[in-house]
Amino acid sequence: MFKTIIKGALRGLAEVMVSIVIPIYVIYTLATRYLSAIPEAPLIFKEIRPGYSIEEIIIVLVFLYVLIAIIEEHETWRTLGAALKIFIMIAGFLVLYTLLGGGILNYSGVIEGYEVIATVNISIFIYLYGILVIFPAVLASIMEIAGKASGTSE
């Protein structure tokens, strides 16, 4: 039992790091770095933190993903665990998309007496993340569920 829990937790941690944590953190950091180029923009705009931080959201996603991976290691709950992993992957993508406003970040204000309008479009990074990471992972999970449900993987 303990071996199954450790195996599921380590596998889940590795999967969540590759498919959710690293891509979300890199894209979010790129967005905040682009905005920090504006010298006197308000701090809330530079960090895009409306009361919560990306680190808190990532910690919750990692915790849930690891718990789901432990559930998935058990033979009885394998299909449910795979379905919940799909949900967590899609939720991670939607959190990133929502926090970054679809990838188009705007700022207008007055800096040193000049009216400044700045637009940063990082939506291509978000869409690449969805196409190259989330879509194949969701597709693989669906194929895994279908294989287990039909009994062909046994």
Side-chain angles (χ1 to χ4, degrees):
M1 178 73 174
F2 187 70
K3 184 178 177 182
T4 304
I5 292 172
I6 294 297
K7 181 181 172 187
L10 290 176
R11 195 184 92 218
L13 191 59
E15 287 178 10
V16 77
M17 293 300 275
V18 170
S19 65
I20 295 176
V21 173
I22 293 171
I24 286 179
Y25 196 75
V26 166
I27 293 170
Y28 188 81
T29 303
L30 282 173
T32 56
R33 295 297 177 243
Y34 281 139
L35 296 175
S36 65
I38 302 170
E40 294 180 20
L43 185 62
I44 190 73
F45 178 75
K46 285 185 180 180
E47 295 186 8
I48 318 171
R49 293 188 180 198
Y52 47 84
S53 69
I54 191 72
E55 291 86 6
E56 293 169 355
I57 294 169
I58 286 176
I59 288 171
V60 170
L61 289 174
V62 167
F63 180 72
L64 288 174
Y65 201 94
V66 168
L67 284 178
I68 290 168
I70 292 171
I71 290 171
E72 191 182 20
E73 279 298 313
H74 195 276
E75 288 291 325
T76 309
W77 301 100
R78 193 162 281 181
T79 304
L80 176 66
L84 289 173
K85 280 183 7 183
I86 292 172
F87 171 74
I88 294 294
M89 285 183 231
I90 293 173
F93 176 77
L94 292 176
V95 162
L96 179 67
Y97 190 82
T98 304
L99 279 180
L100 295 179
I104 300 174
L105 309 168
N106 295 310
Y107 173 74
S108 61
V110 178
I111 297 176
E112 296 180 10
Y114 296 100
E115 188 173 329
V116 174
I117 299 172
T119 301
V120 177
N121 186 357
I122 60 161
S123 60
I124 188 70
F125 295 120
I126 297 172
Y127 297 140
L128 284 175
Y129 168 61
I131 292 169
L132 298 176
V133 176
I134 297 299
F135 180 69
V138 168
L139 190 62
S141 294
I142 290 172
M143 290 173 63
E144 183 181 349
I145 291 171
K148 290 175 186 168
S150 68
T152 57
S153 64
E154 301 296 325

